[in-house]
Every structure is written in structure tokens, then in C-alpha cells.
Amino acid sequence: QVQLVESGGGSVQAGGSLRLSCAASARTYTSTCMAWVRQVPGKEREGVAAIDSDGSTSYADSVRGRFTISRDDAKNILYLQMNNLKPEDTAMYYCAADRYPISTDRPVPISRVEFWGQGTQVTVSS
């Protein structure tokens, strides 16, 4: 069964940190690219960070230097370490997996990605 399950969201003050986790079934984990995508109400989903099966990473300009994406291949878990959080980081964060690269510099339509998690809310207060 295809499954992506996120955890680790919550509420934090500006400047704080959170670590998101995404537990993936073996089928989704072998996808070429895994990524974190976020969405605020009324806006399109946007790629935040992505990592390919060879370990290469990409980040949105808005999070580069503050967020780090990584994967634990032994446990089939994807992580997103978020430091120095800002109120504008407030969003629903989704784990995503696809056989093709997932963009971090343009909107990501739901139909563009093969597998999605259910999302975890991150709220950053000023």
C-alpha cells in the first residue's frame, strides 16, 4: 500500500526550530525524488526542499540556509529540519514523492506529483 505519513508539525515562536518527518512505504521511497511542499489557504502549493535518490538537494530561495532536507534510507524516512523559523513559514507541509524531480522554484500542482502525504501544520508566531 502506498503511504506517506508526516509528523512533527506544531506551533513555535519566530526564531525557533522544528523537525518534520515523513515515514514512507518502500514503494514510495524508491521514487526518484522526495520533497516537502507547503501550502497556505488560497495559494498554490510550493516546493520547499527536494532530494533525489542520489542525495542531491534543492531548496526554495525563501528557505535556503534555514531548512535542511535529508533522508534515512535504512528507515525509509524523509526529514525536514527547519531553523530560524519565520511567520511566513506558516503553512500546511506535505511530504511528496515522484519518479520525476519536484520543483522548488515554482508552484507544484497536486496532479503533478504521484504520491502525497496528508500534511502537517506548522504555525510560527511573531
Side-chain angles (χ1 to χ4, degrees):
Q1 184 176 356
V2 173
Q3 201 170 28
L4 294 173
V5 181
E6 302 98 332
S7 61
S11 297
V12 65
Q13 289 190 327
S17 298
L18 285 172
R19 188 176 80 159
L20 305 183
S21 299
C22 172
S25 62
R27 179 183 172 189
T28 56
Y29 201 78
T30 56
S31 299
T32 299
C33 180
M34 298 193 72
W36 290 97
V37 177
R38 68 186 180 187
Q39 186 175 30
V40 298
K43 294 190 176 181
E44 295 178 288
R45 294 188 180 189
E46 61 173 3
V48 174
I51 185 167
D52 292 336
S53 56
D54 64 0
S56 59
T57 59
S58 63
Y59 295 93
D61 289 342
S62 60
V63 307
R64 187 175 292 111
R66 300 187 297 120
F67 290 11
T68 302
I69 189 170
S70 62
R71 55 197 297 169
D72 185 332
D73 292 343
K75 298 180 179 179
N76 288 1
I77 297 178
L78 179 72
Y79 298 103
L80 184 68
Q81 178 66 44
M82 305 185 294
N83 297 328
N84 190 22
L85 282 160
K86 303 177 180 181
E88 52 264 42
D89 295 317
T90 295
M92 183 71 78
Y93 283 71
Y94 296 92
C95 180
D98 197 276
R99 71 189 71 183
Y100 300 110
I102 298 172
S103 174
T104 55
D105 62 1
R106 64 180 66 92
V108 181
I110 294 175
S111 59
R112 161 63 182 78
V113 173
E114 188 171 8
F115 303 117
W116 290 102
Q118 82 287 351
T120 185
Q121 178 68 37
V122 171
T123 302
V124 184
S125 59
S126 57

